[in-house]
Coordinates of all heavy atoms in Angstrom, one line a residue:
M342 N 95.2 32.5 -60.8 CA 94.9 33.3 -59.6 C 96.2 33.9 -59.1 O 96.3 35.1 -58.7 CB 94.3 32.5 -58.5 CG 92.8 32.4 -58.7 SD 92.0 31.7 -57.3 CE 92.5 30.0 -57.4
E343 N 97.3 33.1 -59.1 CA 98.6 33.6 -58.6 C 99.1 34.8 -59.5 O 99.6 35.7 -59.0 CB 99.6 32.5 -58.5 CG 99.2 31.6 -57.3 CD 100.0 30.2 -57.3 OE1 101.0 30.1 -58.0 OE2 99.5 29.3 -56.6
K344 N 99.0 34.6 -60.8 CA 99.4 35.7 -61.7 C 98.5 37.0 -61.4 O 99.1 38.1 -61.3 CB 99.2 35.3 -63.1 CG 99.7 36.5 -64.1 CD 99.6 36.1 -65.5 CE 100.1 37.3 -66.4 NZ 100.1 37.0 -67.8
M345 N 97.2 36.8 -61.2 CA 96.3 37.9 -61.0 C 96.7 38.6 -59.7 O 96.8 39.9 -59.6 CB 94.9 37.5 -60.9 CG 93.9 38.5 -60.5 SD 93.8 39.9 -61.7 CE 93.1 39.0 -63.1
L346 N 97.0 37.9 -58.6 CA 97.4 38.5 -57.3 C 98.7 39.2 -57.4 O 98.9 40.3 -56.9 CB 97.5 37.4 -56.2 CG 96.1 36.8 -55.8 CD1 96.3 35.6 -54.9 CD2 95.2 37.8 -55.2
R347 N 99.6 38.7 -58.2 CA 100.9 39.4 -58.5 C 100.7 40.7 -59.2 O 101.2 41.7 -58.9 CB 101.9 38.5 -59.3 CG 102.6 37.4 -58.5 CD 103.8 36.8 -59.3 NE 103.4 36.4 -60.6 CZ 102.9 35.2 -60.9 NH1 102.6 34.3 -60.0 NH2 102.7 34.8 -62.2
E348 N 99.9 40.6 -60.3 CA 99.6 41.8 -61.1 C 98.9 42.9 -60.3 O 99.0 44.1 -60.6 CB 98.7 41.4 -62.3 CG 99.4 40.4 -63.3 CD 100.4 41.1 -64.2 OE1 100.1 42.3 -64.6 OE2 101.4 40.5 -64.5
M349 N 98.1 42.5 -59.3 CA 97.3 43.5 -58.5 C 98.1 44.0 -57.3 O 97.6 44.9 -56.7 CB 96.0 42.8 -58.1 CG 95.1 42.5 -59.3 SD 94.5 44.0 -60.1 CE 93.5 44.8 -58.9
Q350 N 99.3 43.5 -57.1 CA 100.0 44.0 -55.9 C 100.3 45.5 -56.1 O 100.7 46.0 -57.1 CB 101.4 43.3 -55.8 CG 101.3 41.9 -55.2 CD 102.6 41.2 -55.1 OE1 103.6 41.7 -55.6 NE2 102.6 40.1 -54.4
G351 N 100.0 46.2 -55.0 CA 100.2 47.7 -55.0 C 99.1 48.5 -55.6 O 99.2 49.7 -55.7
K352 N 98.1 47.8 -56.2 CA 97.1 48.6 -57.0 C 95.9 48.9 -56.0 O 95.5 48.0 -55.3 CB 96.5 47.7 -58.1 CG 97.6 47.4 -59.1 CD 97.1 47.5 -60.5 CE 98.0 47.1 -61.6 NZ 99.3 47.6 -61.7
E353 N 95.5 50.2 -56.0 CA 94.4 50.6 -55.0 C 93.1 50.3 -55.7 O 92.2 49.9 -55.0 CB 94.6 52.1 -54.7 CG 95.7 52.4 -53.8 CD 95.7 53.8 -53.3 OE1 94.6 54.4 -53.1 OE2 96.7 54.3 -53.0
N354 N 92.9 50.5 -57.0 CA 91.7 50.2 -57.6 C 91.6 48.7 -57.9 O 92.3 48.2 -58.7 CB 91.6 51.0 -58.9 CG 90.3 50.7 -59.7 OD1 89.4 49.9 -59.2 ND2 90.1 51.3 -60.8
R355 N 90.7 48.0 -57.1 CA 90.7 46.5 -57.3 C 89.3 46.1 -57.9 O 88.9 45.0 -57.8 CB 90.9 45.9 -55.9 CG 92.2 46.3 -55.3 CD 92.6 45.6 -54.1 NE 93.0 44.2 -54.3 CZ 94.2 43.8 -54.7 NH1 95.2 44.7 -54.9 NH2 94.5 42.6 -54.9
K356 N 88.6 47.1 -58.5 CA 87.3 46.8 -59.0 C 87.4 45.8 -60.2 O 88.4 46.0 -61.0 CB 86.6 48.1 -59.5 CG 86.2 49.0 -58.4 CD 85.5 50.2 -58.9 CE 85.0 51.0 -57.7 NZ 84.4 52.3 -58.1
A357 N 86.5 44.9 -60.3 CA 86.5 43.9 -61.4 C 85.0 43.5 -61.6 O 84.1 43.8 -60.8 CB 87.3 42.7 -60.9
R358 N 84.8 42.8 -62.7 CA 83.5 42.2 -62.9 C 83.7 40.9 -63.7 O 84.7 40.8 -64.5 CB 82.6 43.2 -63.7 CG 83.1 43.5 -65.1 CD 82.2 44.5 -65.8 NE 82.5 44.6 -67.2 CZ 81.7 45.1 -68.1 NH1 80.5 45.5 -67.8 NH2 82.1 45.1 -69.4
F359 N 82.8 40.0 -63.5 CA 82.7 38.8 -64.3 C 81.6 39.1 -65.3 O 80.5 39.6 -65.0 CB 82.3 37.6 -63.4 CG 83.4 36.8 -62.8 CD1 83.5 36.7 -61.5 CD2 84.3 36.2 -63.7 CE1 84.5 35.9 -60.9 CE2 85.3 35.4 -63.1 CZ 85.4 35.3 -61.7
R360 N 81.9 38.7 -66.5 CA 80.9 38.9 -67.6 C 80.8 37.6 -68.4 O 81.7 37.0 -68.8 CB 81.3 40.0 -68.5 CG 80.3 40.4 -69.5 CD 80.5 41.7 -70.2 NE 81.7 41.7 -71.1 CZ 81.6 41.5 -72.4 NH1 80.4 41.3 -73.0 NH2 82.7 41.5 -73.1
T361 N 79.5 37.1 -68.5 CA 79.2 35.9 -69.3 C 78.4 36.3 -70.5 O 77.4 37.1 -70.3 CB 78.4 34.9 -68.4 OG1 79.3 34.3 -67.4 CG2 77.9 33.7 -69.2
V362 N 78.7 35.8 -71.6 CA 77.9 35.9 -72.8 C 77.4 34.5 -73.2 O 78.3 33.6 -73.4 CB 78.6 36.6 -73.9 CG1 77.8 36.6 -75.2 CG2 79.0 38.1 -73.5
I363 N 76.1 34.3 -73.4 CA 75.6 33.1 -74.0 C 75.1 33.3 -75.4 O 74.4 34.3 -75.7 CB 74.4 32.6 -73.1 CG1 74.9 32.1 -71.7 CG2 73.7 31.4 -73.8 CD1 73.8 31.7 -70.8

Side-chain angles (χ1 to χ4, degrees):
M342 278 191 289
E343 287 167 19
K344 179 176 181 179
M345 176 63 65
L346 292 172
R347 282 193 310 273
E348 297 280 326
M349 292 299 290
Q350 282 181 350
K352 302 224 186 298
E353 286 190 32
N354 179 0
R355 303 188 75 83
K356 289 182 180 177
R358 67 184 188 158
F359 268 119
R360 189 164 70 93
T361 291
V362 174
I363 292 176

